[in-house]
Amino acid sequence: MVIWKRGTSAEQLKKVDALLEEVGIDPQRAAESQAHQFSGGQCQRISIARSLVLDPTLIICDEPVSALDVSVQAQVLNLLEDLKAKHGLTLVFIAHDLAVVKNISDRIQVMYLGKICEVAPSNSLYDSPAHHYTKVLIDSIPVPDPEIAIGQVAIEGEPPSPVLPPPGCRFNPRCAAADDRCRTEEPQLREVGDAGGGHYVACHHPLIGGEAPLVVRLPAR
Ligand code: SF4
């Protein structure tokens, strides 16, 4: 606020206090504390307050909860949801934890080795993943129920070097459905599912309803 010349000193202090209260931090205690006296969750709340101070419309949240334990993660996610509604914010949320992504997102973009694999509304992506990498990611989400057997996730190997990516589809060395076309031709994003539903996938052999398509080979004439 000082750099951007927003308000007088008194107004700036008042806004800092209001934002700290909004994210659940006592302004009085914060003013008397050193940085190392705050927990990880409190530091994250202060960072969120700081990001709001210039009244943005868009905030890019890069792994905002990955360093927090699960109960604190839930608190910070709820806080972000509340702030999103209250301030009319758009949040670009970058994360590896798909359970967390599912909770907070309206629309999800899955990337592999720097390329977009799939873009879809949250429910559509989780109910009917169309890209083989998305399917593997979703199947990897642990279910906290001892009655449910741990699934076999069909993926092997390591991601290739982003400096020297494989030709064609970047996921082809690890994809069980890869064929010659996948190894030579880069798939482009195209719409799948209901027209206008906003579900796009970059795959030559997209899954249908989360399952591999039935391949019917016609006899040669
Ligand atoms: S384009 Fe081919 S290799 Fe890539 S995800 Fe689809 S089926 Fe697998």
Side-chain angles (χ1 to χ4, degrees):
M1 284 189 287
V2 173
I3 291 169
W4 288 89
K5 300 185 173 49
R6 295 281 180 94
T8 63
S9 298
E11 287 167 342
Q12 290 168 358
L13 287 173
K14 197 172 161 193
K15 181 154 189 179
V16 168
D17 285 358
L19 282 173
L20 284 172
E21 269 176 11
E22 202 176 331
V23 299
I25 299 285
D26 176 5
Q28 183 66 35
R29 209 212 119 199
E32 294 164 356
S33 302
Q34 300 288 318
H36 68 271
Q37 293 172 306
F38 294 104
S39 67
Q42 287 170 328
C43 287
Q44 204 64 311
R45 286 169 183 274
I46 292 168
S47 291
I48 292 167
R50 189 168 54 179
S51 71
L52 289 169
V53 87
L54 292 177
D55 304 313
T57 53
L58 168 78
I59 299 181
I60 298 173
C61 309
D62 192 356
E63 299 279 10
V65 294
S66 58
L68 306 175
D69 71 41
V70 176
S71 62
V72 182
Q73 277 188 5
Q75 292 169 15
V76 171
L77 291 175
N78 288 338
L79 173 65
L80 285 170
E81 283 281 16
D82 292 346
L83 295 173
K84 185 173 85 170
K86 186 173 173 191
H87 293 265
L89 292 169
T90 296
L91 302 178
V92 176
F93 195 92
I94 302 166
H96 284 81
D97 183 334
L98 282 199
V100 167
V101 170
K102 185 180 183 185
N103 274 330
I104 195 147
S105 306
D106 302 310
R107 190 167 168 77
I108 299 171
Q109 183 169 296
V110 179
M111 297 185 76
Y112 180 80
L113 216 65
K115 288 279 178 180
I116 298 169
C117 304
E118 190 160 1
V119 186
S122 181
N123 286 343
S124 181
L125 188 102
Y126 281 84
D127 294 345
S128 308
H131 196 281
H132 297 260
Y133 178 57
T134 311
K135 169 92 171 127
V136 169
L137 285 178
I138 290 174
D139 287 349
S140 309
I141 299 173
V143 180
D145 182 345
E147 301 293 321
I148 296 177
I150 297 170
Q152 295 291 314
V153 178
I155 188 168
E156 292 179 356
E158 298 290 323
S161 164
V163 179
L164 200 61
C169 171
R170 294 193 171 191
F171 189 54
N172 85 68
R174 307 175 76 192
C175 180
D179 62 7
D180 286 347
R181 187 179 177 200
C182 303
R183 287 183 270 275
T184 53
E185 183 187 331
E186 185 174 341
Q188 303 300 314
L189 274 180
R190 60 193 169 99
E191 191 165 20
V192 288
D194 297 335
H199 194 150
Y200 295 84
V201 67
C203 175
H204 295 310
H205 311 294
L207 301 164
I208 299 170
E211 303 295 331
L214 185 65
V215 177
V216 178
R217 296 193 190 285
L218 298 173
R221 292 193 176 194

